[in-house]
Amino acid sequence: MTRPNILLISADQQRADCFGFMGRKVKTPHLDQLAADGTHFTACMTPSAVCQPARASILTGQLCRTHGVHDNGIDLDPEIGEKGWAGAMAAAGYQTSYFGKAHFSTYHTYEATGTPECLRSAHLYDEDWHGPYMGFEHLELMLVGHNWWAPEKPPGGQHYERFYHSDGRGDERTKLMWENAGDTKGAAQTWHSKLPTAYHNTSWTSDRFIEWVKHGRDTEKPFATWVSFPDPHHPFDCPEPWSRLHDPADVDLPEHRTRDFEGKPWWHKAAIEGEPADPKFADIRKAYSRIPPQTDAQLREIIANTYGQIAYIDHEVGRMLIALEQAGLHENTIVIYISDHGDWLGDHGLILKGPMHYEGLIRVPLIVRGPGVPAGKAIDQPVSTLDLGPTFFDYGEADALQTQHGESLRPLLEHDGTRAFSRSEWGLLPGRVGVALELRTVRTRTHKMTVDLNSGDGELYDLEADPHELVNLFNDPAAADRRAELMGYIESRPDDTVPDRAPVGTA
């Protein structure tokens, strides 16, 4: 067999359980079929709970305190990014490409940084620029991708924004994008967008990959490609008709959806009630990055809209898989579906993301289909999206170009191996929630613990006996041995951390 192609498809902020095959009332027929035809991991953990650190870790194979992007607003050093899995696969003879939202560098910056993703610098890259960038040889990017902001007008923006404004009617589309075509019960950041789907970034992302598969790729080389959708993500602005696909009255609400800080570590309350320390961006932190408590009716609207975003992505994934089949690439392409991190989506009365590492946020999808991958297999071992690079190297006969904190998933896929634990970390700067945190999380098959190294406080949950993470065992004498075991895993982290880096913006 020739070396397989690699197609990594990622969503943004999609929980691990938000699939039809996982039992939730969301319509995902193509992804359900992908899981049936391949293997899915039920205990995959994000390396970090927010976008930039998580995405940098997926690319580099390193934890965020090693590659340096320990919080949003910090750019990935190109010298490190270029040695990630894309650069390593290119060095091994693969053609590498990227389509969609990258977010390896900061969009909203204090000053121009010169990167192609910086909103203040994108005009420096003309319409003929398609890379290289972070080890990818060909790129077609969007900037931000979340419709709280209007797509930048040329010469700003990148490939999607130029497409969006290409006929001079972008302002008309943005007006439609921000209009609510139905009653959403006053739910925060939630509306039925009137933006025609032909111009939506979800359609555009899959369109660009399909066009590249048909006409842009080098047919003499295997490819390693990342296709990155910016949804499901707030604002919850799914376009019609996808926003109407799920009746809010029929969606599944979280069983435990009331905020309660009793028995939780101190930072839970501080993160919700504290004032962001960055005066330049405090208002947007509070207006965009936090959602106040919602009524059940409002939460139903948010969940139904999120389900619509996911179903829309599912449809586009189906189109991409058809394109692979039509190109004769189906049999020799490893397809992986992931998300960078999850969303609380009402669990514990919380929505979006932050330093409360509940399962809805920290556990992410991981579906793998391809040659040699068993069909219909589910794996409950604790793994991480840090493992993707080593897996690609294993299948693609490539060598890592820098230290890797993950391991190949191939032994688990093709045999019945085990893993002791996976880990996640986040070095929060005070600009986000008003306090600095140094969070370390480890997850075994049955337990999970998060510790703030600055204060020593933490939380420990028995995920089998307490799947909703209601009872914090961190200070329970009966759980002392388990706490010591998990602390040992935290302390086993490789000694290659780097100091705090100064943010260049918010995200």
Side-chain angles (χ1 to χ4, degrees):
M1 181 185 77
T2 58
R3 292 187 296 171
N5 303 301
I6 304 292
L7 172 57
L8 175 63
I9 306 170
S10 66
D12 191 331
Q13 207 157 299
Q14 181 175 350
R15 295 166 57 106
D17 61 0
C18 279
F19 299 90
F21 77 88
M22 290 295 290
R24 297 213 42 168
K25 296 179 181 179
V26 55
K27 301 179 190 300
T28 53
H30 299 290
L31 291 166
D32 294 351
Q33 188 63 57
L34 188 72
D37 292 343
T39 294
H40 75 277
F41 292 80
T42 62
C44 181
M45 189 161 70
T46 180
S48 194
V50 287
C51 289
Q52 281 182 266
R55 289 166 177 268
S57 288
I58 292 167
L59 177 64
T60 65
Q62 297 181 341
L63 290 159
C64 71
R65 272 302 186 183
T66 298
H67 58 61
V69 185
H70 57 87
D71 200 359
N72 275 354
I74 298 171
D75 289 356
L76 178 61
D77 184 339
E79 290 190 12
I80 297 173
E82 289 164 5
K83 294 178 182 178
W85 64 257
M89 297 300 279
Y94 274 72
Q95 184 181 21
T96 57
S97 56
Y98 198 106
F99 303 90
K101 173 188 173 179
H103 211 182
F104 301 131
S105 300
T106 306
Y107 300 131
H108 302 284
T109 60
Y110 305 122
E111 307 291 343
T113 60
T115 77
E117 297 189 81
C118 172
L119 294 175
R120 297 173 182 263
S121 302
H123 67 279
L124 301 174
Y125 298 80
D126 63 32
E127 61 185 15
D128 295 326
W129 179 84
H130 288 92
Y133 182 56
M134 300 296 179
F136 293 96
E137 300 162 314
H138 177 86
L139 302 99
E140 299 184 44
L141 300 179
M142 72 187 65
L143 301 189
V144 187
H146 310 311
N147 297 326
W148 188 266
W149 296 272
E152 291 285 304
K153 293 181 181 179
Q158 280 293 352
H159 308 90
Y160 168 70
E161 290 78 14
R162 290 170 190 149
F163 159 79
Y164 184 90
H165 289 286
S166 61
D167 62 358
R169 303 184 70 176
D171 287 344
E172 296 176 35
R173 292 188 190 102
T174 299
K175 183 174 181 293
L176 292 172
M177 180 179 77
W178 285 340
E179 286 186 19
N180 190 355
D183 179 15
T184 50
K185 307 294 189 298
Q189 300 188 34
T190 305
W191 67 91
H192 299 270
S193 172
K194 293 184 178 180
L195 177 67
T197 54
Y199 292 96
H200 196 278
N201 52 44
T202 292
S203 295
W204 178 87
T205 299
S206 56
D207 284 345
R208 299 321 304 152
F209 169 74
I210 291 168
E211 179 69 14
W212 181 82
V213 165
K214 290 179 177 179
H215 305 296
R217 66 187 177 89
D218 184 344
T219 58
E220 299 301 313
K221 289 183 175 182
F223 64 77
T225 295
W226 188 343
V227 177
S228 174
F229 294 101
D231 277 338
H233 193 284
H234 64 111
F236 308 104
D237 67 321
C238 187
E240 294 183 301
W242 294 100
S243 66
R244 307 285 185 180
L245 188 60
H246 301 85
D247 184 348
D250 191 45
V251 301
D252 27 17
L253 291 177
E255 184 175 342
H256 298 279
R257 52 188 184 276
T258 302
R259 292 188 181 182
D260 182 3
F261 302 124
E262 185 177 354
K264 305 297 183 178
W266 65 271
W267 70 80
H268 282 221
K269 191 171 190 290
I272 295 297
E273 299 180 356
E275 290 291 317
D278 184 343
K280 292 183 180 179
F281 288 99
D283 289 345
I284 193 66
R285 288 276 193 218
K286 290 186 283 188
Y288 177 67
S289 301
R290 292 181 177 180
I291 286 184
Q294 303 287 288
T295 67
D296 279 1
Q298 291 169 334
L299 183 56
R300 287 184 181 278
E301 294 288 336
I302 289 172
I303 293 173
N305 199 291
T306 299
Y307 282 4
Q309 292 177 325
I310 294 169
Y312 185 11
I313 291 170
D314 177 86
H315 175 76
E316 297 304 316
V317 169
R319 294 181 59 233
M320 293 164 58
L321 297 178
I322 289 170
L324 288 178
E325 191 161 3
Q326 291 177 340
L329 301 170
H330 172 84
E331 297 294 334
N332 198 37
T333 298
I334 297 175
V335 180
I336 305 98
Y337 186 86
I338 64 165
S339 182
D340 54 356
H341 54 78
D343 189 313
W344 296 309
L345 207 62
D347 291 348
H348 301 268
L350 302 169
I351 299 170
L352 308 183
K353 54 189 178 285
M356 292 74 93
H357 287 180
Y358 294 122
E359 286 287 271
L361 174 62
I362 211 79
R363 194 161 63 94
V364 293
L366 177 54
I367 304 170
V368 184
R369 187 200 73 183
V373 176
K377 184 177 180 180
I379 298 174
D380 66 356
Q381 298 299 309
V383 299
S384 167
T385 48
L386 285 169
D387 299 325
L388 292 174
T391 304
F392 300 162
F393 305 154
D394 194 345
Y395 280 102
E397 300 173 13
D399 295 320
L401 302 181
Q402 59 191 358
T403 298
Q404 297 291 290
H405 291 149
E407 303 174 57
S408 174
L409 297 169
R410 192 171 185 175
L412 296 177
L413 288 166
E414 298 183 359
H415 306 288
D416 292 315
T418 60
R419 292 280 184 91
F421 68 97
S422 58
R423 65 170 85 240
S424 181
E425 62 186 32
W426 187 6
L428 282 79
L429 299 168
R432 174 170 291 275
V433 297
V435 294
L437 295 169
E438 198 60 49
L439 300 182
R440 300 290 186 270
T441 297
V442 289
R443 189 193 198 281
T444 68
R445 194 177 59 81
T446 60
H447 289 75
K448 184 177 64 184
M449 186 168 78
T450 300
V451 176
D452 169 36
L453 298 186
N454 292 339
S455 66
D457 201 3
E459 52 191 329
L460 168 61
Y461 301 104
D462 181 336
L463 299 174
E464 287 190 325
D466 179 25
H468 300 294
E469 301 170 274
L470 301 176
V471 181
N472 180 10
L473 303 174
F474 190 76
N475 293 313
D476 185 344
D481 288 346
R482 183 69 67 181
R483 172 175 163 174
E485 174 195 0
L486 297 181
M487 184 57 73
Y489 292 148
I490 288 176
E491 293 172 346
S492 71
R493 188 206 189 284
D495 186 18
D496 57 5
T497 61
V498 297
D500 278 1
R501 289 181 54 195
V504 298
T506 53

